[in-house]
Amino acid sequence: MQFDDVILGRRSIRGYKPEPVARELIEEVIGLAMRAPSSMNTQPWNFYVITGEPLEKIRSGNTERMLAGVPQSREFRTGEAFAGQHRERQIGVAKQLFSAMEIQREDKEARQDWVMRGFRQFDAPVCVIITYDRVLDGSDDTPFDCGAVATALVNAAWSRGLGTVINSQGIMQSPVVREHAGIADDQVIMKSIALGWPDESFPANEVVSTRKPIDEAATFVGFDG
């Protein structure tokens, strides 16, 4: 793929084929992602790549704890709930997804199942957990750098025909994730990325989220005209 094809074509994939993904291909994708820039080349990121039985245990543990009302224990700071235009954009993409999946407002069972998909890593055959070195906890640059490597990873995956979706639900029950992924104590769990072969028949995979216009996002200073 050409660079523009990757950037303009990539979508968040929430439905996957059950076929496994070869370790060699995942290593290739991670290798590309690690060319992302980081502050003074600190490279704070690490990757825990999970599949098979350990991933199934994480899925079931996440789901059981959330349904039982166990408070979330996400390790990276969560911040305040979205409000204003940011909340409006969040609602907007939710409406797109629910419409594609034909989930009605009054269908509480279908809505709950949709939410639970996130805690099941969207039933993808692979989950990549991004962590960062705990010694850097509190650094402003570290989450920025991890965001850069996550973006590079999802684009590299797309260039190889793989789908991804970055999510936080899959790591909200951090004790479950730590236990079954074997995450070292010197790491802080930051994000999870579901990864696998896109299921073309899954309606939500066709959703393309909107972007605000350039003239709203960018301010040009010192240019003519």
Side-chain angles (χ1 to χ4, degrees):
M1 287 188 183
Q2 296 295 314
F3 180 77
D4 287 13
D5 296 331
V6 175
I7 299 300
L8 297 175
R10 189 204 62 80
R11 304 183 303 279
S12 291
I13 299 300
R14 296 175 172 86
Y16 295 87
K17 296 178 180 178
E19 285 84 353
V21 182
R23 174 174 172 169
E24 293 77 12
L25 180 55
I26 301 172
E27 289 178 346
E28 180 180 326
V29 166
I30 291 175
L32 289 171
M34 289 176 63
R35 295 304 305 169
S38 63
S39 176
M40 293 174 283
N41 200 34
T42 50
Q43 302 179 62
W45 50 67
N46 287 293
F47 309 88
Y48 288 78
V49 186
I50 311 145
T51 193
E53 185 178 359
L55 181 52
E56 290 303 322
K57 289 180 178 178
I58 291 174
R59 289 194 224 277
S60 60
N62 282 345
T63 302
E64 289 168 7
R65 288 168 67 97
M66 294 307 299
L67 291 175
V70 177
Q72 65 95 359
S73 52
R74 184 176 165 191
E75 296 182 3
F76 182 67
R77 57 183 181 268
T78 55
E80 299 297 326
F82 294 132
Q85 61 183 354
H86 304 105
R87 175 61 174 163
E88 290 173 7
R89 293 185 190 125
Q90 182 186 32
I91 293 173
V93 75
K95 287 181 176 179
Q96 285 182 274
L97 292 167
F98 286 162
S99 176
M101 297 298 295
E102 298 182 349
I103 299 175
Q104 304 302 318
R105 177 180 291 275
E106 64 277 7
D107 192 342
K108 294 182 179 179
E109 183 177 346
R111 282 175 172 258
Q112 183 178 32
D113 180 69
W114 180 259
V115 171
M116 286 298 107
R117 289 184 64 83
F119 296 105
R120 300 197 310 263
Q121 315 286 357
F122 295 90
D123 300 323
V126 177
C127 175
V128 180
I129 305 292
I130 295 181
T131 70
Y132 61 85
D133 299 330
R134 190 177 297 278
V135 69
L136 298 173
D137 205 16
S139 164
D140 291 334
D141 288 323
T142 295
F144 185 89
D145 296 342
C146 288
V149 83
T151 300
L153 192 152
V154 300
N155 285 326
W158 189 262
S159 77
R160 299 305 193 263
L162 292 164
T164 61
V165 60
I166 302 172
N167 69 95
S168 296
Q169 297 103 312
I171 56 170
M172 283 188 174
Q173 294 293 339
S174 59
V176 172
V177 177
R178 277 195 174 276
E179 177 185 357
H180 299 298
I183 296 176
D185 291 339
D186 66 354
Q187 297 296 299
V188 176
I189 299 172
M190 185 173 193
K191 279 288 183 180
S192 61
I193 302 176
L195 182 145
W197 303 108
D199 179 355
E200 293 84 359
S201 67
F202 193 75
N205 288 347
E206 295 301 315
V207 170
V208 179
S209 56
T210 60
R211 294 293 184 271
K212 61 184 180 181
I214 293 174
D215 60 5
E216 180 182 336
T219 300
F220 293 89
V221 180
F223 290 83
D224 295 333

